[in-house]
Amino acid sequence: MKKLLFVACLILPLAACTQTEKGAAIGAASGGIIGGAISNDVRGAAVGAAVGGVAGALIGRANEPGYCVYRDRYGRQYTARC
């Protein structure tokens, strides 16, 4: 079960659309793993995931060009200036 969860944490961030989403997902996954490993506690994993998610989103946002990905009410994605 732990292996399945670990593999899911590695694969799911690849499904994100924008660099911000990818950075947040990767940061949250790695922060949760590191926080849980250091503290041996669920709270440490939650704090690590929160901090990693915010840091990853900020880093991902800085790497995006001046375009954002939006969704219309039908679920279609389109790119436009932010």
Side-chain angles (χ1 to χ4, degrees):
M1 183 67 175
K2 289 182 182 181
K3 290 180 183 179
L4 179 64
L5 183 62
F6 182 70
V7 170
C9 288
L10 294 176
I11 293 174
L12 286 177
L14 300 176
C17 297
T18 64
Q19 290 290 7
T20 303
E21 292 171 348
K22 288 179 184 178
I26 292 170
S30 59
I33 291 170
I34 293 169
I38 290 174
S39 68
N40 290 328
D41 190 13
V42 175
R43 289 182 193 156
V47 170
V51 171
V54 170
L58 292 173
I59 292 169
R61 179 73 175 170
N63 289 329
E64 283 185 4
Y67 290 91
C68 294
V69 177
Y70 297 101
R71 292 180 195 257
D72 63 7
R73 62 181 171 181
Y74 303 109
R76 295 180 297 218
Q77 293 182 356
Y78 63 94
T79 305
R81 296 287 277 170
C82 295

